[in-house]
């Protein structure tokens, strides 16, 4: 930028000098031309004036001649007045001609000759200008001779004037020619001057426009530089300042105020104000470096402390250099850096250096611990250097193969000697892929132990790049033989479990079809006995019949509940969008008869759509509402309140989850008989009942089904009861399953 400005300024100076020279030259030429033109014009006019004056002179002479003749002829003295006037005019005219031809010797000579002729003639005429002598004179012989001589002199005057006129006419012809030539050049010269002026103006406009563009670019660059400098100050935590050594005026950058803890320009930028921030113990140091700056016109790097308005102590490092302008104006330009973090890092580094020995001891202990951990964990570690393809084995890696540490060279070929023959290709392929992908996710293979036994190994490895950029693969190999055998045993147990599940499914089929069929027949026969034979039975028989009828009803309910519970245990549930408002409406409709019989009041919030199994959510709502209706108090209208809101797990202490997972929280509250809180977990157990069969109907399966449904949705269900006041069931269903 500086170089461009310098070049532009130099070019401008050259162009200005050339333009000024051209303008001056054109002006001089023009001035000279105008002067010549004016001189030519004056010469032409002068020639005309000479000719005119010559003609005027001759005219005066003729007037004098005519007046004298009139006087001589008439002898009237009145003719003498024009004679005297003409003579006076002749003298004036002759005087003018003297002046007009003073620069022309030839004409001056002619004029002198003319003067002599005119004088001689005037002398002849003067003798006859007396009125008293005129009559006598006319009759004399001398008069005739004089008169003839006067006529001759008049002709001579005429000839001399013509001679002078011819000379002037020759001058006039030359001067007119020069004048015409010069006057013809005037338009060309004027047009040239105009053209040159236009060219200079156009060129000046072009250069000015170019310079304006460069100035705009320079301003944009300066603005960018200023912005980048401001951002650099903020990012690097430093400020700049200027100290005029002549006026002692200081200027701070915006970030200089910020590192002092103030907004930009919030106080005057003076040395006295700055000293108020300096730590009391460092004020003498700062005053000393200020004096040194004035004396030496320089500021070496100096560190001191300042105290911010909030009381925080910060470390500053200041440095400055003298800048002398063209006018010898001296200014110190400085940079002040907040080096508090650097100081703190140095202190921390010192602490780290002091703790290196302690850390080294700990590493030794850790290394020994790692060795012991490998032995206890039955695994070994290894490193593969990609540049040299060399392995490094831990001591226990050798032991896993049945060898003492460092008893053979650790490389892939030696390792393959111990790999079970059927797994050779598997291991080789895994290591070849590792060279490409940089990792071995999980590799299971068999080795032949030194004692000839077959062991199962598992290897995992990942790419590692150290600080020098060297790439290696770090891996662990574990002897998982015991786990392998446990997995085999687990597979056997899983097979047995699958068989049990299959048998349970068959039992469900039997329960849903084969067991219900004889139950339906028993209930059918009971119904027929009630219709046709009941009156023939004894009271004892009627009592047994009633007991049989109740037992069969309980049997049917129990079978249905077991089927429902079994259905909730299936793993083929498909989650869909379930509108809980529709689920609640269907449950209320399903229980409408019971609700109407008990005149129950159900209040509920607006619910939302969740991810779930629709028929299970229907069963959950139906069972909970039915449970509240079943355990309502005598002679008290049942009231069931259903509340809903979204909650975060960390805000619900009962969930014991410190996470941001969102749950649908649904709370069912009733005013029924309630229960003891110590039974809050028992009521969800299968076939568990807190009351006798005769007090409240039920099989003890309903709440167990509810718990199973909530668990199927990865949620939680909690119960809270107060005897005689009611119960509350709170359900948490994750927002996303």
């Amino acid at each position: 930028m500086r170089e461009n400005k310098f070049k532009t300024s130099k070019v401008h100076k050259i162009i200005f000098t050339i333009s000024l020279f051209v303008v001056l030259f054109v002006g001089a030429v023009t001035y000279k031309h105008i002067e010549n033109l004016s001189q030519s014009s004056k010469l032409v006019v002068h020639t005309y004036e000479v000719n005119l004056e010559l003609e005027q002179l001759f005219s005066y002479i003729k007037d004098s001649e005519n007046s004298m003749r009139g006087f001589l002829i008439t002898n009237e003295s009145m003719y003498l007045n024009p004679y005297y006037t003409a003579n006076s005019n002749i003298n004036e005219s002759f005087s003018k001609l003297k002046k007009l031809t003073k620069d022309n010797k030839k004409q001056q000579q002619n004029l002198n000759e003319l003067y002599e002729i005119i004088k001689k003639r005037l002398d002849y005429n003067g003798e006859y200008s007396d009125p008293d002598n005129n009559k006598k004179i006319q009759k004399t012989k001398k008069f005739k001779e004089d008169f003839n001589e006067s006529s001759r002199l008049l002709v001579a005057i005429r000839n001399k004037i013509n001679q002078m006129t011819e000379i002037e006419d020759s001058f006039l012809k030359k001067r007119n020619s020069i004048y015409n030539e010069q006057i013809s050049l005037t338009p060309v010269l004027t047009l040239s001057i105009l053209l040159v002026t236009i060219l200079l103006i156009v060129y000046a406009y072009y250069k000015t426009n170019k310079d304006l563009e460069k100035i705009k670019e320079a301003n944009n660059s300066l603005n960018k530089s200023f912005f980048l400098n401001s951002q650099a100050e903020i990012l690097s935590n430093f400020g700049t300042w200027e100290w005029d050594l002549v006026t002692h005026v200081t200027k701070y950058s915006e970030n200089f105020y910020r590192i002092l803890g103030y907004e930009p320009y919030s106080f005057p930028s003076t040395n006295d104000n700055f000293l108020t921030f300096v730590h009391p113990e460092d004020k003498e140091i700062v005053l000393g470096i200020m004096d040194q700056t004035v004396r030496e016109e320089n500021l070496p790097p100096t560190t001191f402390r300042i105290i911010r308005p909030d009381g925080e102590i910060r470390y500053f490092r200041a440095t400055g250099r003298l800048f002398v302008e063209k006018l010898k104006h001296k200014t110190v330009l400085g940079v002040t850096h907040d080096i508090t973090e650097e100081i703190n890092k140095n202190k921390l580094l010192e602490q780290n250096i002091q703790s290196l020995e302690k850390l080294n001891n700990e590493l030794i202990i850790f290394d020994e611990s790692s060795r012991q951990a490998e032995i206890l964990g039955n695994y070994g570690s290894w490193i593969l250097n990609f540049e040299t393809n060399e392995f490094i084995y831990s001591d226990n890696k050798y032991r896993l193969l049945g060898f003492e540490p460092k008893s053979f060279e650790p490389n892939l070929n030696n390792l393959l000697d111990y790999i079970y023959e059927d797994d050779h290709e598997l291991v080789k392929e895994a290591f070849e892929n590792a060279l490409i992908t940089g990792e071995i996710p999980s590799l299971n293979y068999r080795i032949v132990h030194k004692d000839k036994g077959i062991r199962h190994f598992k290897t995992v490895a990942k790419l590692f790049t150290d600080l020098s950029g060297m790439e290696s693969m770090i891996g662990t190999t574990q002897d998982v033989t015991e786990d392998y055998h446990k997995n085999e045993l687990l597979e056997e147990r899983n097979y047995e479990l699958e068989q049990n599940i299959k048998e349970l499914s068959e039992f469900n089929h039997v329960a849903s079809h084969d067991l219900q069929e004889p139950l339906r027949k028993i209930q059918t026969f009971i119904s027929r006995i009630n219709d046709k034979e009941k009156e023939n039975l004894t009271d004892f028989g009627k009592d047994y019949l009633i007991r049989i009828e109740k037992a069969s009803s309980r049997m049917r309910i129990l079978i249905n509940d077991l089927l429902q519970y079994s259905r909730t245990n299936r793993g083929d549930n498909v989650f869909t969008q379930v509108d809980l408002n529709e689920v609640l409406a269907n449950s209320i409709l399903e229980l409408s008869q019971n609700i109407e019989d008990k005149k129950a009041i159900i209040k509920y919030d607006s619910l939302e759509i969740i991810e779930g199994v629709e028929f299970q959510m229907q069963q959950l709502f139906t069972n909970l509402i039915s449970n509240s209706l079943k355990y309502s108090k005598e002679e008290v209208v049942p009231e069931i309140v259903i509340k809903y809101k979204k909650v975060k797990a960390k805000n619900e202490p009962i969930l014991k989850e410190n996470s941001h997972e969102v749950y649908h929280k649904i709370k069912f509250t009733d005013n029924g008989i309630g229960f003891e809180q110590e039974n809050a977990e028992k009521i969800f157990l299968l076939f568990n009942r807190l009351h006798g069969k005769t007090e409240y109907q039920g099989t003890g399966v309903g709440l167990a089904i509810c718990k199973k449904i909530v668990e199927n949705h990865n949620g939680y269900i909690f119960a809270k009861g107060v005897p005689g006041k009611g119960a509350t069931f709170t359900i948490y269903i994750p927002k996303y399953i």
Side-chain angles (χ1 to χ4, degrees):
M1 183 60 67
R2 289 181 181 175
E3 186 178 356
N4 289 338
K5 286 184 178 179
F6 175 76
K7 285 183 177 179
T8 303
S9 177
K10 191 173 181 180
V11 169
H12 279 171
K13 289 178 181 178
I14 294 172
I15 292 172
F16 177 77
T17 303
I18 294 172
S19 301
L20 185 61
F21 176 77
V22 170
V23 169
L24 290 174
F25 176 76
V26 171
V29 170
T30 304
Y31 175 78
K32 186 65 177 175
H33 175 75
I34 292 172
E35 190 179 45
N36 292 337
L37 185 63
S38 176
Q39 187 65 30
S40 297
S41 177
K42 287 179 180 179
L43 290 174
V44 170
V45 171
H46 177 270
T47 304
Y48 278 116
E49 287 179 349
V50 171
N51 285 336
L52 184 62
E53 199 60 40
L54 288 171
E55 290 296 328
Q56 191 70 37
L57 177 63
F58 188 73
S59 176
Y60 291 150
I61 293 170
K62 285 178 70 178
D63 288 343
S64 175
E65 180 72 20
N66 291 332
S67 296
M68 179 58 69
R69 288 187 180 191
F71 170 71
L72 292 175
I73 294 171
T74 62
N75 201 26
E76 292 290 336
S77 60
M78 58 179 279
Y79 286 102
L80 292 175
N81 290 331
Y83 171 76
Y84 294 126
T85 301
N87 288 341
S88 176
N89 289 336
I90 289 170
N91 290 329
E92 290 180 4
S93 180
F94 198 86
S95 179
K96 288 181 181 179
L97 286 171
K98 261 296 193 184
K99 290 180 180 179
L100 290 172
T101 59
K102 65 181 180 179
D103 57 344
N104 191 328
K105 292 181 179 181
K106 180 73 174 175
Q107 291 290 68
Q108 284 281 312
Q109 183 180 355
N110 289 331
L111 192 61
N112 290 332
E113 292 174 358
L114 179 63
Y115 176 77
E116 293 297 328
I117 297 171
I118 292 173
K119 182 180 177 184
K120 190 174 182 180
R121 183 183 175 282
L122 288 175
D123 290 340
Y124 280 117
N125 288 337
E127 293 180 6
Y128 304 102
S129 61
D130 186 358
D132 296 330
N133 299 325
N134 187 27
K135 292 181 179 181
K136 298 176 180 179
I137 295 173
Q138 291 179 2
K139 296 178 180 179
T140 64
K141 182 179 178 182
K142 186 178 183 300
F143 171 77
K144 292 180 180 179
E145 292 176 356
D146 290 342
F147 188 81
N148 290 329
E149 182 65 22
S150 177
S151 298
R152 188 187 62 77
L153 290 172
L154 183 63
V155 173
I157 290 170
R158 175 77 265 181
N159 292 333
K160 182 58 69 174
I161 288 174
N162 287 339
Q163 184 182 354
M164 290 181 71
T165 302
E166 287 176 1
I167 293 172
E168 291 298 326
D169 285 343
S170 66
F171 287 157
L172 180 62
K173 187 175 181 181
K174 291 179 181 178
R175 288 169 181 173
N176 270 331
S177 176
I178 294 170
Y179 177 78
N180 289 333
E181 288 178 3
Q182 289 177 341
I183 201 72
S184 65
L185 285 174
T186 301
V188 176
L189 187 61
T190 304
L191 185 61
S192 300
I193 293 169
L194 181 62
L195 210 64
V196 169
T197 305
I198 291 172
L199 287 174
L200 288 174
I201 291 172
V202 169
Y203 185 72
Y205 172 78
Y206 170 76
K207 290 301 296 180
T208 302
N209 194 46
K210 282 290 185 182
D211 289 342
L212 283 175
E213 291 179 359
K214 290 181 180 179
I215 288 171
K216 288 180 181 178
E217 292 178 2
N219 285 335
N220 290 334
S221 298
L222 285 174
N223 289 333
K224 291 178 182 177
S225 299
F226 180 76
F227 174 76
L228 292 174
N229 185 62
S230 298
Q231 295 302 310
E233 287 190 18
I234 294 171
L235 294 174
S236 300
N237 207 20
F238 71 89
T240 57
W241 48 269
E242 300 177 17
W243 184 5
D244 192 319
L245 296 180
V246 178
T247 63
H248 292 287
V249 173
T250 56
K251 295 179 183 178
Y252 298 159
S253 68
E254 291 184 357
N255 207 53
F256 191 86
Y257 288 91
R258 294 191 186 99
I259 64 176
L260 289 173
Y262 279 88
E263 289 299 316
Y265 312 113
S266 54
F267 62 86
S269 56
T270 64
N271 290 339
D272 291 337
N273 284 339
F274 177 73
L275 285 172
T276 60
F277 295 98
V278 178
H279 195 283
E281 297 178 3
D282 293 347
K283 275 193 178 180
E284 292 300 325
I285 298 174
V286 174
L287 287 171
I289 62 175
M290 284 183 175
D291 292 338
Q292 181 182 355
T293 302
V294 174
R295 291 194 314 270
E296 300 179 3
E297 299 179 343
N298 206 357
L299 175 61
T302 307
T303 302
F304 54 91
R305 292 168 293 174
I306 64 103
I307 302 176
R308 283 185 173 178
D310 57 4
E312 183 183 5
I313 297 175
R314 307 290 292 181
Y315 288 86
F316 279 13
R317 179 183 292 130
T319 185
R321 290 291 182 272
L322 180 67
F323 176 76
V324 181
E325 299 178 3
K326 290 183 179 180
L327 299 177
K328 304 300 181 182
H329 201 80
K330 295 182 179 180
T331 304
V332 175
L333 304 180
V335 177
T336 298
H337 200 145
D338 186 338
I339 59 170
T340 308
E341 300 301 327
E342 181 182 341
I343 295 292
N344 292 336
K345 287 179 181 178
N346 288 337
K347 290 180 179 179
L348 182 61
L349 181 61
E350 290 177 2
Q351 294 174 359
N352 290 338
I353 292 174
Q354 291 175 0
S355 62
L356 277 177
E357 293 182 1
K358 180 180 178 182
L359 181 61
N360 188 42
N361 293 333
E362 291 177 354
L363 286 174
I364 294 173
I365 296 172
F366 179 76
D367 183 57
E368 184 60 30
S369 298
S370 298
R371 293 179 183 178
Q372 296 301 320
E374 287 190 8
I375 295 172
L376 293 175
N378 207 22
Y379 72 89
S381 57
W382 51 270
I383 300 173
L384 171 60
N385 188 317
F386 281 129
E387 292 186 2
T388 62
N389 287 330
E390 294 178 352
F391 279 90
I392 299 175
Y393 286 173
S394 67
D395 290 348
N396 209 51
K397 170 73 174 178
Y398 290 95
R399 295 190 187 100
L400 292 179
L401 296 171
F403 292 91
E404 289 298 318
K406 310 295 188 297
S407 57
F408 62 85
E409 185 69 24
N411 55 51
L412 184 59
N413 291 329
N414 287 338
L415 178 62
L416 289 173
D417 290 340
Y418 303 104
I419 301 295
Y420 191 72
E421 186 176 358
D422 293 346
D423 294 341
H424 272 205
E425 292 300 322
L426 176 67
V427 174
K428 288 174 65 176
E429 184 178 348
F431 274 90
E432 288 174 359
N433 289 335
L435 295 175
I436 300 172
T437 62
E439 65 177 14
I440 300 176
S442 181
L443 175 64
N444 292 288
Y445 56 94
R446 293 165 291 179
I447 65 103
V448 180
H449 198 265
K450 184 180 179 182
D451 60 7
K452 304 304 180 182
I454 296 176
R455 309 288 294 176
H456 292 266
F457 278 14
K458 179 180 180 180
T459 291
V460 178
K462 284 189 176 182
L463 182 68
F464 172 77
T465 304
D466 61 17
L467 295 176
S468 65
M470 182 179 293
E471 292 184 344
S472 303
M473 179 172 286
I474 298 178
T476 58
T477 300
Q478 186 177 16
D479 187 337
V480 294
T481 307
E482 299 301 326
D483 292 338
Y484 177 79
H485 293 319
K486 288 178 182 178
N487 286 335
E488 285 185 333
L489 182 61
L490 183 61
E491 289 177 1
E492 293 177 4
R493 295 288 186 268
N494 286 338
Y495 177 76
E496 293 176 0
L497 181 60
E498 289 176 359
Q499 292 299 112
N500 291 335
I501 292 172
K502 186 176 180 181
E503 292 174 0
L504 182 59
S505 297
E506 293 175 355
F507 168 76
N508 288 338
H509 179 76
V510 171
S512 61
H513 295 86
D514 298 346
L515 289 179
Q516 291 196 58
E517 179 60 29
L519 183 59
R520 281 195 294 270
K521 289 182 179 180
I522 291 172
Q523 289 181 328
T524 300
F525 290 137
I526 290 172
S527 176
R528 290 179 180 176
I529 292 173
N530 277 329
D531 293 339
K532 297 180 179 181
E533 301 294 335
K534 187 175 182 180
E535 297 300 328
N536 298 328
L537 296 176
T538 63
D539 292 338
F540 186 75
K542 290 177 181 179
D543 182 54
Y544 274 109
L545 183 61
I546 291 171
R547 292 185 180 184
I548 293 171
E549 185 177 7
K550 289 181 179 180
S552 64
S553 295
R554 285 199 302 273
M555 183 66 177
R556 175 174 292 280
I557 293 171
L558 179 60
I559 291 173
N560 288 334
D561 286 346
L562 286 173
L563 288 174
Q564 291 291 343
Y565 185 79
S566 174
R567 188 180 180 189
T568 60
N569 275 323
R570 295 179 183 174
D572 56 352
N573 298 320
V574 178
F575 288 87
T576 60
Q577 296 282 319
V578 179
D579 189 344
L580 295 182
N581 293 298
E582 293 182 4
V583 169
L584 178 59
N586 292 335
S587 296
I588 292 174
L589 181 63
E590 184 178 344
L591 299 171
S592 58
Q593 187 61 49
N594 195 4
I595 293 171
E596 185 178 348
D597 291 343
K598 294 204 171 191
K599 300 179 181 177
I601 299 172
I602 301 178
K603 300 177 182 178
Y604 51 87
D605 292 341
S606 176
L607 305 176
E608 288 207 8
I609 297 174
I610 70 167
E611 292 280 340
V613 182
E614 186 170 3
F615 83 88
Q616 289 189 9
M617 297 307 297
Q618 181 76 55
Q619 189 175 4
L620 172 65
F621 276 49
T622 301
N623 284 1
L624 289 174
I625 296 173
S626 176
N627 188 74
S628 294
L629 294 173
K630 183 192 300 182
Y631 294 105
S632 60
K633 291 185 287 189
E634 294 289 340
E635 299 179 357
V636 176
V637 176
E639 184 174 324
I640 304 171
V641 180
I642 304 172
K643 294 285 185 180
Y644 169 84
K645 68 175 179 178
K646 287 181 183 177
V647 296
K648 287 187 177 180
K650 68 175 185 176
N651 297 328
E652 298 293 314
I654 197 170
L655 293 181
K656 298 179 181 178
E657 282 188 34
N658 189 22
S659 69
H660 292 275
E661 186 172 0
V662 178
Y663 284 85
H664 301 281
K665 181 180 179 180
I666 310 167
K667 184 187 289 186
F668 291 79
T669 303
D670 61 47
N671 60 346
I673 63 173
F675 56 86
E676 294 289 347
Q677 189 60 30
E678 63 186 19
N679 296 319
E681 296 290 337
K682 295 180 182 178
I683 60 176
F684 293 113
L685 298 177
L686 193 62
F687 303 121
N688 185 73
R689 294 170 56 86
L690 300 181
H691 306 278
K693 297 178 182 179
T694 57
E695 295 181 71
Y696 297 96
Q697 295 182 354
T699 60
V701 178
L703 290 179
I705 292 175
C706 291
K707 183 176 178 64
K708 193 64 183 175
I709 290 171
V710 173
E711 289 176 349
N712 287 346
H713 288 75
N714 296 323
Y716 305 92
I717 184 169
F718 301 98
K720 183 179 180 181
V722 179
K725 291 188 177 181
T728 299
F729 291 89
T730 305
I731 300 166
Y732 293 91
I733 303 294
K735 185 176 179 182
Y736 300 106
I737 305 299

